[in-house]
Amino acid sequence: MQGSSALPDACKLLPQSDLEALFPGRPVVSKGPTLSPIYKGPQYSEGCMYMVKLPSPTSKLETAKFTTVTIVQWGGETEGVNGSKATFANMRSTREKIVADPSLNRHLEPASGIGDEALLETSSSEVKVSVRKGDLIYVLNLDIYSPQSQPNAVALAKQVAARWKEGVGMVEATAPVATNNSVDIPEDTRTSSVAPVDQWPDACALLTPEDVRAIFGDMKIEPPRKTMGQIKFESRIDRVEALPKPIRCFYQTSRADLVNGERHFVTHDVTLIVSNVAATPELSKKYYQVVRKVGEARTELSGLGDEASINIMNQIYIRKGLLVVEVHVGGGDRDQAIHDDATRRANELAKLVSAKLH
């Protein structure tokens, strides 16, 4: 076995600079070395771990991917029963038995160009490279991140081998690790919770001036006021897209009543809001229950879409398939007769709207 000056150092065999070259622009954090057990003799850095922070495929957060190198054997004989060749052969036999189990979904193959002999093992979560370079045996693990993971693991394993020379120990690598120009960003795997913009209806087509006139023929009706909207498609980088059709249509209605010789004005705000067009029926049902709970719509209504309910403020929530709309007739909050009349009109309007929902 070599003297103490030639003791291996896992963190020098795999320096942080190698990972920074392969993951340009991404934070690389050293988790430090792991010392060998005392019973092995003079202690040395047997293992080394790094954490690379990368964008998550499923959120805006970053995910931690780990790289480790572990020295299995070093400094002894290459030949013989206990030599590095025999040890590596035993490792190969063990790994072949493990990957033979199809339920583990692992793949093992020889890897050329790394040390004297190497094995490349892959699974859905990691790339493992086991290498023998003369008297040195080590295993490098890299968490799967993208198709870039395997070539990165191979490049790192090659550099470890380049920094070791049998009978000498640690040496300088003759060339730096290959540098990536960029990091592969995995495609965002999430699906949107809302339907595409072309599936969102026109609020003023669901509640037209003719519809309002049919229910408020005894009142003056102002032209509709439209409100445009936008929807957010959540992903690693949220994408906001403007809706081409209005999501809110508002009518102001009014009339003057003569009561005991005095004129009293009655006004109603008539509104239709396209609350949501969900991506799936299940999401639409969940959204309806949320808006119903928030709006305290405790009274169920029949004959309107797939489900409908009304609250004390004459807001009617209707779900039909993927679509949730709100029909509202405001006014008369302090006059029971006017409020009850608004309730009647809201229900009549809701029937006209419901007949148009697809």
Side-chain angles (χ1 to χ4, degrees), residues 256-264:
D257 291 341
L258 194 62
V259 180
N260 297 326
E262 295 183 359
R263 297 179 70 190
H264 290 266

Side-chain angles (χ1 to χ4, degrees), residues 74-135:
W74 69 281
E77 299 295 328
T78 302
E79 306 293 341
V81 178
N82 298 317
S84 60
K85 287 184 178 179
T87 300
F88 197 79
N90 288 333
M91 290 174 59
R92 179 188 293 108
S93 177
T94 299
R95 300 315 301 174
E96 287 172 346
K97 292 176 182 177
I98 291 173
V99 300
D101 184 348
S103 66
L104 298 178
N105 195 26
R106 303 184 75 90
H107 177 72
L108 183 69
E109 61 182 298
S112 61
I114 310 176
D116 296 318
E117 52 184 332
L119 296 172
L120 178 64
E121 185 175 337
T122 55
S123 70
S124 60
S125 61
E126 69 171 355
V127 181
K128 180 194 294 283
V129 188
S130 303
V131 182
R132 183 184 69 82
K133 172 71 178 293
D135 59 333

